Amino acid sequence: MFPDGHILEINLSNQSIQTIDLPGETYRLYPGGSALATYLILQQMVPGTPALSPDNVLVFAVSPLTGLPISGISRLVVAAKSPLTGAIGDSQSGGFFPARLKANGYDAIVVKGKAENPVYILIDHDEVTIRSAESIWGKVTGEAEAILRQELGDDDLEVAQIGPGGENLVSYACILSMSSRANGRTGMGAVMGSKNLKAVVLKKGTRCEPSDTEGFLSLAREAKDRLKHNDAVSGLADIGTAGDLAAFNDIGFLVTNNWQSGFSGEDASKITGEAMKATILEKRDTCFACAVRCKRVVSIPDQVDAKYGGPEYETIATFGSYCGIYDLETIAKANQLCNMYGLDTISCGATISFAMECFEKGLIGEKETDGLALGFGEAESMLTLIERIARKEGAFATMLAEGSKQASLRIGKGAEAYSMSVKGEEMAAHMPQYKPGLGVVYAVNPFGCDHQSSENDPLLMMPEDSQERIWLGKLGILHGEEDSYGLDDYKVQFAFDSQCFYSVLDTLCLCQFVWGPTWQLYGPDDIVKLCKVGIGWDTSLFELMRVGERRINMMRVFNAREGFTKAEDKLPARMFEKLKNGPSVGIGIDEQAFQTAVDHYYQMAGWSAKTGNPEEGTLRRLSLGWLIQS
Amino acid sequence: MKMLDVTLNGQIQQIPQGSNVRYMLDEMKLGKQAIVYLNGKKLLQKEYDVVLLQPFDELRIIKPLAGG
Ligand code: SF4
């Protein structure tokens, strides 16, 4: 038996609140997170609805497993049509909010309509109220959370909220819980802002119990021991996600100056995870029930407040090497500003680095930047610009608030070549020149160039008897590689199958640092076991892979309905140019080989060679025949 | 302690005689998540502790850089 799903549906236009039960047999096909959210959006959003219209459907989703006390199990998906890309939007975050949502009895919240005035939603099990957000609208996240606690007389709240960035409809505004855990990508904060919804606030929930207590506890207790013996995850715990930054630079694949280079020279040593640990790190933090504790908390007296967490690798790269800034204090301030105002650090940093290149190349000057000197390395200008973007202050910042792609179209003069984006979403800090399989996924992934949507090419080089290769073998990925740069059929299969597997993780809402197909603490077989001991779901890896593939195909159908085709599955031209300096000099992706790989991906996925969209047979195979009728 | 010369990622290094591959990994602060080529042949992980390095061995050690 698969549990029923409990969905809270709220229409802010008429203030209606209802709970809908999704029968277990349907829920099993879309078992939570991103799959459930996409299913609900496909059912409820009329194609062609503008992303910031009241008719866009915003879904917060967890999974049937969320809230059970085991490491890496508290993840929240927020999805809707994206204002940044016009495609399906999708974002994940950790923290305690996800577990608390499930502990209040909900698998998803669907928000439709638009409130007349700013509101927040307060959830205390069955008691759900829509309340005025007058006192917190316009406030930065930390302040808003403090006011809510005081007003509600309750210190034990979990709050997912937007900052002024979302209120002002910045296309890459994010949603934050704990003022530091971001549903960062694809502008879900702007969708929330467009509905006049400031926050979702959760009261204390009821403990979630596994179906097989003994089996579950035995699996959960293994985390500590596995952590002790897992170099990759214990390194993550010790140094954080920036642990590989120096190594990326050493081999010439640390994004530098808006992707003009992959080498920051010795400067990179100033912004590494180790440097952060030795200087501004105050402590490590964690998510619900997680033994890993990979989150960083930094502080700088009178400048950076620990309540806004600390920068991840992506944030250090985008505000650091992307922008030619090698100062951790500046990066920590940029991180804090984004978490206060509610902006995605990746798109924000990358959009500013785009503007820096336009400035250096003379496409814009101080007249256009509203007086800012904006060359690479201009730290003060970068910090000023973040605040201006969040407030949409001045014509220049307002233009950048739409992301680098839209800004490039407005600037003209060839600026489009400097927007390092796919489908309008700025690329995360993993260079496809080093990881071309990941590059294929950057190109074809329905919600943009996400770095957490497939496995990384270099892991295929691991020896055959490593955990990485043994676990990949469980997914049918058997062929190893001697270097990272190949783009043959084996690599495309690796990209596709590992994407389907990561899609399972984003459906079951499992943290990719704890559960995964290679270096993580728990592998593919463990996930099957977790489903059994957690909720009594007697599943198989085969069924789970189908779940992952189904999600990707539903998203692709969403995009097709919005007019997307293979024409949008393109990497920026710069990826095909040879890198000009550092250890990676001369390396670039062969454009012809890349296009062939994308075509082969479509074949493997069962997508049309002509349109890049799912073939009818593929949809039928995935129990998605209902999408053909639509 | 008797030392011997090996080449690690193109650089000549002196290491104590009797060192195994694990010694080099420890020196590089790498755990077992590493790819090791010894004289052009990729080693299995189970060999890291047992293969003793010989004078003039050529080692290429790569850390596979993933995501996050
Ligand atoms: S590994 Fe890190 S991000 Fe993942 S659940 Fe644990 S603390 Fe959170």
Side-chain angles (χ1 to χ4, degrees):
Chain A
M1 282 282 287
F2 196 91
D4 291 347
H6 300 290
I7 296 166
L8 181 63
E9 261 198 35
I10 298 176
N11 188 323
L12 293 174
S13 296
N14 61 18
Q15 309 249 316
S16 70
I17 300 170
Q18 57 174 334
T19 314
I20 292 164
D21 281 348
L22 186 68
E25 70 216 45
T26 307
Y27 196 14
R28 183 168 173 165
L29 290 167
Y30 323 101
S34 184
L36 175 62
T38 309
Y39 170 73
L40 295 167
I41 292 166
L42 279 166
Q43 298 246 327
Q44 302 194 24
M45 197 203 89
V46 175
T49 299
L52 298 180
S53 134
D55 296 329
N56 194 359
V57 177
L58 177 70
V59 181
F60 298 74
V62 291
S63 91
L65 298 166
T66 312
L68 294 170
I70 189 169
S71 294
I73 205 163
S74 182
R75 302 285 295 175
L76 173 75
V77 165
V78 183
K81 180 172 175 178
S82 164
L84 184 66
T85 65
I88 187 78
D90 193 274
S91 61
Q92 287 84 30
S93 71
F96 292 78
F97 183 95
R100 179 72 72 91
L101 179 59
K102 185 70 182 173
N104 266 281
Y106 299 104
D107 295 78
I109 309 172
V110 178
V111 184
K112 296 186 281 193
K114 177 182 181 179
E116 211 172 314
N117 296 302
V119 295
Y120 71 91
I121 298 167
L122 180 65
I123 299 175
D124 182 3
H125 296 87
D126 293 344
E127 221 172 281
V128 180
T129 48
I130 301 170
R131 298 177 163 226
S132 167
E134 207 187 331
S135 61
I136 51 173
W137 194 258
K139 300 277 189 246
V140 297
T141 55
E143 273 179 52
E145 195 157 333
I147 293 169
L148 282 168
R149 286 177 197 283
Q150 205 201 4
E151 280 183 2
L152 293 167
D154 187 347
D155 240 357
D156 191 4
L157 299 172
E158 283 300 326
V159 179
Q161 61 168 320
I162 55 170
E167 296 170 15
N168 295 325
L169 311 181
V170 174
S171 294
Y172 43 87
C174 68
I175 298 167
L176 288 133
S177 64
M178 301 167 76
S179 303
S180 60
R181 310 301 172 86
N183 283 85
R185 309 238 62 196
T186 65
M188 296 299 94
V191 178
M192 206 164 148
S194 74
K195 296 185 176 306
N196 264 337
L197 177 61
K198 174 74 174 173
V200 177
V201 182
L202 303 174
K203 294 267 215 174
K204 199 167 164 41
T206 309
R207 200 183 149 88
C208 301
E209 299 291 346
S211 62
D212 167 359
T213 309
E214 214 171 292
F216 181 85
L217 287 180
S218 132
L219 189 65
R221 283 196 197 108
E222 284 176 33
K224 281 203 174 129
D225 198 47
R226 290 182 185 222
L227 181 57
K228 220 177 344 176
H229 296 103
N230 186 313
D231 306 321
V233 185
S234 49
L236 183 71
D238 183 29
I239 307 291
T241 48
D244 281 342
L245 189 144
F248 276 126
N249 186 59
D250 287 346
I251 57 169
F253 293 108
L254 176 66
V255 180
T256 301
N257 293 0
N258 196 35
W259 295 79
Q260 294 183 86
S261 162
F263 188 55
S264 293
E266 287 184 7
D267 283 336
S269 65
K270 299 176 197 153
I271 58 169
T272 60
E274 290 83 350
M276 186 158 73
K277 186 179 172 189
T279 54
I280 58 174
L281 185 74
E282 186 175 303
K283 59 176 181 177
R284 288 158 55 200
D285 202 357
T286 193
C287 304
F288 169 81
C290 188
V292 178
R293 303 184 67 85
C294 78
K295 309 306 291 184
R296 309 286 100 176
V297 177
V298 303
S299 67
I300 304 170
D302 302 323
Q303 295 186 67
V304 173
D305 189 330
K307 76 168 161 245
Y308 292 106
E312 299 284 347
Y313 165 68
E314 290 293 335
T315 307
I316 296 178
T318 49
F319 287 117
S321 57
Y322 276 51
C323 290
I325 287 167
Y326 299 95
D327 172 37
L328 273 177
E329 295 204 356
T330 302
I331 294 166
K333 284 184 208 163
N335 180 67
Q336 169 163 291
L337 287 171
C338 285
N339 287 353
M340 287 167 68
Y341 287 101
L343 301 177
D344 172 31
T345 56
I346 299 177
S347 278
C348 187
T351 297
I352 292 174
S353 81
F354 152 81
M356 286 175 164
E357 184 170 0
C358 290
F359 188 90
E360 289 215 337
K361 297 239 158 92
L363 274 55
I364 50 174
E366 285 192 30
K367 199 167 126 239
E368 287 79 14
T369 63
D370 295 327
L372 291 177
L374 204 59
F376 288 109
E378 295 282 1
E380 280 312 312
S381 295
M382 180 180 83
L383 295 174
T384 304
L385 201 43
I386 297 170
E387 292 203 66
R388 287 187 188 174
I389 287 170
R391 296 203 193 101
K392 287 197 173 170
E393 198 178 291
F396 183 64
T398 302
M399 177 178 77
L400 294 187
E402 289 189 40
S404 63
K405 173 77 188 205
Q406 291 304 318
S408 75
L409 296 175
R410 284 182 198 220
I411 292 169
K413 304 179 215 168
E416 230 185 309
Y418 309 140
S419 167
M420 296 295 116
S421 59
V422 182
K423 299 183 178 70
E425 186 190 42
E426 289 70 25
M427 293 207 294
H430 293 269
M431 295 183 74
Q433 295 97 323
Y434 176 50
K435 303 172 178 178
L438 190 97
V440 170
V441 175
Y442 268 12
V444 302
N445 193 50
F447 55 98
C449 41
D450 188 65
H451 62 294
Q452 301 277 103
S453 283
S454 62
E455 196 44 273
N456 290 254
D457 304 44
L459 293 164
L460 278 178
M461 297 161 65
M462 287 295 289
E464 266 173 56
D465 64 341
S466 62
Q467 173 184 301
E468 287 82 353
R469 291 286 304 285
I470 292 169
W471 284 5
L472 285 172
K474 307 255 178 196
L475 310 184
I477 299 168
L478 301 169
H479 187 84
E481 302 274 354
E482 295 305 311
D483 66 40
S484 177
Y485 307 106
L487 255 184
D488 57 11
D489 276 357
Y490 292 118
K491 183 61 79 64
V492 179
Q493 186 218 336
F494 162 75
F496 175 68
D497 284 335
S498 71
Q499 186 190 14
C500 289
F501 189 82
Y502 273 91
S503 179
V504 176
L505 300 175
D506 286 346
T507 294
L508 298 179
C509 296
L510 298 175
C511 176
Q512 303 179 357
F513 299 156
V514 179
W515 304 85
T518 49
W519 51 268
Q520 296 82 357
L521 295 188
Y522 293 102
D525 288 344
D526 298 312
I527 298 181
V528 174
K529 191 167 175 193
L530 172 69
C531 292
K532 179 77 177 134
V533 297
I535 56 168
W537 179 18
D538 200 359
T539 187
S540 64
L541 200 47
F542 181 82
E543 182 184 12
L544 292 178
M545 289 295 275
R546 275 270 160 94
V547 162
E549 191 181 357
R550 185 177 300 121
R551 162 185 173 265
I552 296 166
N553 276 271
M554 284 194 295
M555 293 175 139
R556 201 73 190 187
V557 169
F558 176 96
N559 287 359
R561 295 194 330 187
E562 300 300 316
F564 281 75
T565 65
K566 63 189 280 190
E568 284 78 31
D569 292 347
K570 284 206 162 58
L571 294 184
R574 185 164 281 171
M575 300 305 108
F576 307 109
E577 294 165 7
K578 294 201 185 317
L579 288 160
K580 293 186 190 76
N581 70 328
S584 55
V585 66
I587 295 176
I589 304 174
D590 180 311
E591 192 165 6
Q592 188 63 45
F594 187 79
Q595 195 45 56
T596 303
V598 170
D599 290 343
H600 289 177
Y601 175 100
Y602 295 148
Q603 286 175 11
M604 289 185 199
W607 295 354
S608 155
K610 207 162 121 211
T611 65
N613 291 323
E615 303 272 16
E616 286 193 13
T618 309
L619 297 178
R620 290 186 208 285
R621 177 172 60 79
L622 296 169
S623 315
L624 292 173
W626 58 276
L627 283 171
I628 298 169
Q629 283 115 47
S630 75
Chain B
M1 193 187 315
K2 278 204 163 170
M3 306 295 277
L4 58 87
D5 283 355
V6 295
T7 307
L8 172 64
N9 293 344
Q11 308 273 333
I12 294 177
Q13 299 238 339
Q14 288 219 317
I15 59 166
Q17 217 168 38
S19 298
N20 57 16
V21 172
R22 168 81 49 207
Y23 171 87
M24 300 303 297
L25 294 173
D26 289 346
E27 287 286 289
M28 294 172 77
K29 296 199 172 59
L30 292 174
K32 65 175 187 272
Q33 201 194 35
I35 300 137
V36 181
Y37 288 91
L38 178 61
N39 302 321
K41 184 179 163 279
K42 192 191 283 182
L43 297 185
L44 293 172
Q45 272 186 346
K46 66 179 181 199
E47 294 174 301
Y48 296 175
D49 287 326
V50 289
V51 172
L52 296 183
L53 296 173
Q54 306 298 327
F56 312 114
D57 270 348
E58 286 194 14
L59 276 161
R60 192 155 70 91
I61 298 184
I62 302 164
K63 184 178 185 209
L65 301 178

